[in-house]
Every structure is written in C-alpha cells, then in structure tokens.
Amino acid sequence: MKTYDKGDVLPDDYRTALINLMCFQADSEYAGGQRVAENMQYAPRPEEAYRLSKKVMEEFGHAYYVWNLLADLGIDVDARLQELVMHPDNPDKAKVNVINGFRKQNWAPLFDHWHDVALFSTVVTPAAVAFLGQYRECSYLPWAKVNTRIHKEEMGHLAFGVWASKRSMEFGGEAAREDMQGRVAKFMRVGLGFYGRPSTGDKKSEMFDIYYEYGIKVKKPEELQAEYLELLEDRLGQVGLEMPQGIEPDYDMRVGYELDAAE
Amino acid sequence: MRPVVTQEKIKNPLLESNLDRLARYGFRQANVAETDTAATDWARLKGDFARADEAAVPEFDQLPPAVQEAALHYIALKREADTLLSTCETAHGEILNQGLSVPRVEDYAVVRDAYEDKVEEFGAARAAVAGLLDQSPAA
Ligand SMILES: [Fe+2]
C-alpha cells in the first residue's frame, strides 16, 4: 500500500476521496458531541452527568484533531465548525457532512430515557470503534496517527456504556434490566448499518472499491461487522443483557458511501 | 472619538444550555464557594447514592464522622471538576472565535485531560462514600 505523509503531493482522486471521508469523520464527531450534550437532560445522577459531559468534551476534541489535518489540506474548517455551532438542529448539507445517524431528526427519536444513553455507548459505540479503528492503518499517515489517539478514547466510551448500564441496573433492579433489554434492538439496527452495505452482491456500494483501493478504507464491511458483533456480544455479556437475534441493519445510518456516489 | 468596534462573539448556546443542566449540582454558580456549606452541597449530590431498594440517604449532619470526611472529599473533587469544566468551555469559545489551530487544540486537550482525570477521581470518591454508607448503620 502506498502511503502519504503531511505535505506530500496527493493524486487528485485520492485527495478528493480522502477529504470527503475526513470531513465526514470530523463533522460527525462534532455533531455526535452535540447530540451527546443534548442527552445531558436524561442524566439521572451527578456522576452520570459529569461522566457524560466528559464524553461531550472528548467528541469535540476528536473533531478538532481531524479538522486541524483538513486545514493542512486547504479546507476552511472554521466555516464547518461555525455552521455546526450556529445550526445544530439542521446544519446545511452543502457546508458540512454529518452522517445521517448523528443528525438530530434521526437521533432524537431513539432517546427518551437515560437507559437509551447508557445503551447507545454499549450497543452503537462498538460499531464506531470498529469502523474508525480501521483508519489507524490507512494510507494517509497523519490521519492514521490521529485515529490511534481517537480510538483509545472511543474504547473509553465503551467502558462508559458498560458502567452506565450496570449502574442503571444497580439503582433500578430487575425492572431496569427488562426495560433496557427491550431497547437493545433499535440500537443494534443502527450499529449493524454503520458500515454500509456488503462489498459484494448487487447492492454493493459503488464508492467502496475506490476507497479500498486507495487504502483509505482498509476493511470490508463484512469484516467490520464481524468485529462489531464480537465486541457487542462481549459488552452485552458484561452488563447481563442478551444479544437479540435476527436484527436487520438500518443502512440509513451508514457512514456515507452511497451518499458520496449520489453527489 | 471613534466608537470602539468589537466583533460580535459567536456563542455556543447548545453547549451552554446543556452544561446548565449541571447547575442543579452546583456547576457555574458563581456564589457557590462563598455561601454554600457542605450540607447544601451534599443535599444536591446525594442522589448519587439513593438506590431504589434502600432507605433514604441521610442529610450531611446525620452522617457518621468517617462518612462526613469521605463526603467532604467527594464534594471538593466535584467543585474542582466544575472549575476544570469551565476552563474547557472557555477553550471551546476561543477555538470558535479565534479559529482552529494546532496550539489552541493542544491547549484544549490539556485542560480536557485534567477535567477527565478529575471526573475519574470524583467517581472513585463517590464509590468510597457509597462503600462507607453501606457499612454504616441507618441513621
Ligand atoms: Fe469520537
């Protein structure tokens, strides 16, 4: 795999594809932080609230790291930050690339209780960990390095999910466990859909092959899904919840290949 | 004399209003350190210990001395976390208004790490208080 470092001349197509994916990551990290901030309303106790604001601070930090790299590539990143800050509910799609799942109208209906917040980090975050984890090995080295830093913190968010889920059950007993079990499936649909469609078959994504060839997507959706399911099963086991069977992925929550092809 | 033209600062209302939710635990209330006693702080924070299957958490004055001591440590760490979180918020404001740059983002990473470490300490102190409460006879 040919790699590139800061300041290297990038082939035009590579540069376009790279900037597209990096913008998706940076803008979505920030929007994700905004959604987590909105979830502060559900925090039931002090420690939950302070730990959730820790997560908000981290997500904004992730966006900042990637935006700094995009600035080196000539992107006006301050305009992106300002768009998200000034129009958090519905940022302009022509100005920022936020994944569908982190847009408020798609996110907010999934949440009406702290249990949802705890489960998001237990059931969806493993998908983000697996997905972003691949960028640690991508061909653009500065981005690979930043994602190594981000990945460590995302692992911490998984730990937050396990902690928050266990504590909900400690306080709420069996009734809390049952309520949470009922909420797992809707988040698993999101987690399963995170990577986009499989890399083979008639429904395959047109963009995937291009990204894969350039080494800016390193793993196939089916490999990422296997990693996701392994992480998910382990974490659900840790908190005493069962993995629902026969869940269909929600590809509308994917991280954007088809969207790119349509542009 | 020419009027001084100051550029309008961009605000971040979403972040501000959601951090305001920490006000119920004493965050960003300028007078907290001056006027609040451990008892009022404890009253705000004791929800951290109120399990559904257990008796109500005692007021601060009713706690055994050893629990009071642990509670004071827990309260102090919460206040330190508040201060660090305010510092993070200021750093966000600077990045937003002065622009993204590597030094500003690295400065932010430093204060954010400090806040995060404090939250971990606060969590550990909470667990210590919870352990002592479990051992102490109901008030
Ligand atoms: Fe993140």
Side-chain angles (χ1 to χ4, degrees), chain A residues 30 33-35 37-51 53-65 67-68 72 77-78 81-82 85-86 88-89 149 153 163 167 170-172, chain B residues 10-15 18-19 21-22 24-27 44-45 47-53 74 78 81-82 85 88 92 95-96 99-102 105-106 108-109 112-113 115-116 119-120 122-124 126:
Chain A
Y30 197 87
Q34 291 179 310
R35 302 289 86 80
E38 287 159 358
N39 279 342
M40 286 291 283
Q41 64 183 301
Y42 301 117
R45 287 171 290 271
E47 190 176 348
E48 274 84 347
Y50 281 86
R51 285 195 183 274
S53 53
K54 170 171 174 299
K55 195 177 159 190
V56 174
M57 296 301 135
E58 284 177 355
E59 295 302 0
F60 289 163
H62 297 172
Y64 294 159
Y65 300 153
W67 274 329
N68 271 342
D72 292 338
V77 289
D78 290 310
L81 169 61
Q82 287 171 19
V85 166
M86 293 197 281
D89 294 351
R149 191 172 180 183
E153 293 179 2
W163 173 84
R167 193 158 135 98
E170 233 175 75
F171 276 76
Chain B
I10 309 169
K11 297 229 175 211
N12 196 341
L14 183 145
L15 180 63
N18 287 292
L19 290 181
R21 295 182 186 277
L22 293 170
R24 65 190 139 145
Y25 309 125
F27 175 61
R44 284 194 198 104
L45 294 169
D48 245 354
F49 309 95
R51 290 190 207 166
D53 58 341
Y74 159 82
K78 202 278 313 182
D82 284 344
L85 187 57
C88 289
H92 286 300
I95 289 170
L96 180 60
L100 281 146
S101 74
V102 172
V105 168
E106 289 308 319
Y108 167 66
R112 195 209 56 183
D113 277 346
Y115 169 67
E116 297 190 358
V119 170
E120 292 301 329
F122 171 65
R126 195 270 311 156

Side-chain angles (χ1 to χ4, degrees), chain A residues 1-15:
Chain A
M1 181 173 76
K2 179 155 175 44
T3 59
Y4 299 92
D5 211 334
K6 184 178 166 174
D8 288 352
V9 176
L10 308 176
D12 282 347
D13 289 355
Y14 178 89
R15 190 187 148 85

